[in-house]
Amino acid sequence: MMEPNNFLYKYTTYKAALKIFSSLTMKWSCAIEFNDPFDSRAGTFNIDKKALGIQMDEIIYEILFNNAGYEPFIGTSMYNIIQLLLKIPPAQRKEIYRDMKIKDIGGDAWKFAERKFEQDWEIARKRLFAMLCLTENENHPLMWSHYADSHSGVVIKFKRVNEGDTLVYEAEKVEYNDDLVSFAFNHEDFLNHIFGKTKLNAKSIFERCLLRKGKVWEYENEWRCKKPKTSQEYETFEFVSFRPYEVDSVFLGCRMDEENEKSILDILSKKLKHVSVYKYVLDDRAFKNTLIRVV
């Protein structure tokens, strides 16, 4: 007997199922296409801006008078002013520095850094990874309603087979937590980012965000497969092939009509002959489905 979660499930519509079975491919989407607007979001920079300003003053002083090895963001007023001050002899530089509102220079830099990182984040959501969302739930009424066209669609049961480049073996379980992943955890991270010592890595933070959702979605018991996106840059999805032996079974919704059922059985008989097919029917005594074997 296989261990729990060695099978994962995909809820889909009738039309999408026909495409999946005929092409032996699945649609993998970028995060920007997800139905939850909170999905793959990160928290704002977790910093005390007053304390940050004091620390930035100290670093700017080190740059101007102690040859500190920092390189502020090019294009900010802080960068331009520091470059001008460095061309002035040190004695005169100190007089000018005392009269300047140096905190305003720093403030411009952190706003620039925050804005630039958020732009990188949006690019990551649209272009960085393609993902396939699966679930542990074989028969959940809300999942049938939301993702399988109100019980008239299909659920595909995939094996997690560790044989070469298989589709679902590397799937990772989603964590449900109402706290967003933070861009930066402390002042040091953010200052190093602003002054070019160690850049915050949008990709690594984004990967963590892809596996966190709000607790309201906990009933989905979701798992996600992710891969670097290889399709055209402007596209937010791509189709990825899977091995026929990865499909174990197919479940038809209780509202699927006979004509659509026949079409599904016909394409499966040509493309996935080994697959067992079941159909859910409404139970006569309770608010639940009963499973019957079709093939």
Side-chain angles (χ1 to χ4, degrees):
M1 181 176 177
M2 302 187 83
E3 293 298 318
N5 304 329
N6 275 352
F7 293 109
L8 293 172
Y9 303 87
K10 181 66 179 178
Y11 287 74
T12 188
T13 64
Y14 159 73
K15 289 183 178 179
L18 284 182
K19 292 180 182 178
I20 290 168
F21 298 143
S22 61
S23 66
L24 299 181
T25 64
M26 296 285 291
K27 181 181 177 182
W28 293 48
S29 300
C30 294
I32 199 72
E33 284 204 336
F34 292 167
N35 63 342
D36 176 11
F38 305 104
D39 207 319
S40 75
R41 289 182 64 235
T44 55
F45 289 100
N46 184 25
I47 53 177
D48 178 336
K49 292 174 183 177
K50 184 176 180 180
L52 181 72
I54 294 171
Q55 290 176 283
M56 289 184 74
D57 288 352
E58 294 171 355
I59 293 175
I60 293 169
Y61 186 90
E62 291 296 311
I63 294 172
L64 292 174
F65 303 110
N66 294 323
N67 298 316
Y70 291 93
E71 185 67 32
F73 274 127
I74 295 173
T76 62
S77 60
M78 179 175 74
Y79 176 86
N80 296 330
I81 291 171
I82 286 174
Q83 295 306 307
L84 287 172
L85 289 173
L86 287 173
K87 294 176 182 179
I88 299 171
Q92 296 177 357
R93 191 187 307 162
K94 284 198 174 185
E95 289 185 24
I96 297 171
Y97 176 78
R98 279 197 299 266
D99 295 333
M100 291 182 66
K101 293 182 178 179
I102 201 72
K103 287 185 176 60
D104 292 340
I105 301 173
D108 170 75
W110 72 253
K111 287 177 183 176
F112 181 90
E114 192 171 37
R115 187 166 60 250
K116 176 67 168 63
F117 192 85
E118 287 171 351
Q119 290 170 352
D120 291 345
W121 191 264
E122 279 306 298
I123 291 172
R125 291 186 76 221
K126 293 176 183 177
R127 303 173 187 168
L128 198 58
F129 291 106
M131 284 161 290
L132 177 68
C133 301
L134 303 165
T135 177
E136 297 175 24
N137 295 337
E138 177 180 342
N139 180 32
H140 195 293
L142 291 180
M143 302 283 281
W144 275 107
S145 295
H146 295 163
Y147 301 112
D149 201 10
S150 298
H151 296 255
S152 63
V154 170
V155 171
I156 307 169
K157 182 179 182 179
F158 285 101
K159 300 176 188 176
R160 298 184 71 203
V161 183
N162 185 16
E163 294 181 17
D165 187 21
T166 49
L167 184 146
V168 301
Y169 183 74
E170 299 296 333
E172 298 177 81
K173 189 171 176 60
V174 169
E175 170 199 7
Y176 296 96
N177 190 320
D178 286 334
D179 293 328
L180 298 175
V181 174
S182 177
F183 281 155
F185 297 105
N186 52 53
H187 292 171
E188 184 179 359
D189 287 345
F190 193 62
L191 288 169
N192 284 338
H193 181 62
I194 289 175
F195 288 100
K197 294 196 80 175
T198 307
K199 294 293 184 185
L200 292 173
N201 189 328
K203 180 180 177 181
S204 64
I205 300 172
F206 183 66
E207 285 193 79
R208 286 190 288 122
C209 291
L210 290 176
L211 293 175
R212 181 177 293 189
K213 295 184 71 172
K215 289 187 176 182
V216 69
W217 297 97
E218 205 161 8
Y219 72 92
E220 290 192 343
N221 289 309
E222 186 175 349
W223 290 62
R224 286 181 173 175
C225 314
K226 67 176 184 295
K227 63 183 287 299
K229 188 167 158 290
T230 56
S231 61
Q232 302 245 358
E233 185 175 313
Y234 59 83
E235 292 179 344
T236 57
F237 64 89
E238 57 188 52
F239 290 92
V240 180
S241 61
F242 59 88
R243 312 292 176 89
Y245 58 77
E246 291 182 82
V247 180
D248 178 85
S249 309
V250 170
F251 303 90
L252 310 180
C254 63
R255 283 181 168 174
M256 180 175 286
D257 61 38
E258 290 185 9
E259 185 177 344
N260 288 352
E261 180 179 329
K262 184 176 180 302
S263 297
I264 292 288
L265 293 175
D266 182 57
I267 194 67
L268 287 174
S269 69
K270 296 173 182 175
K271 294 285 188 172
L272 295 164
K273 294 180 181 179
H274 68 284
V275 168
S276 300
V277 183
Y278 301 86
K279 184 171 184 176
Y280 282 104
V281 296
L282 295 177
D283 190 274
D284 291 333
R285 300 180 181 180
F287 289 111
K288 65 179 184 179
N289 289 328
T290 300
L291 195 62
I292 60 172
R293 180 76 177 258
V294 177
V295 176

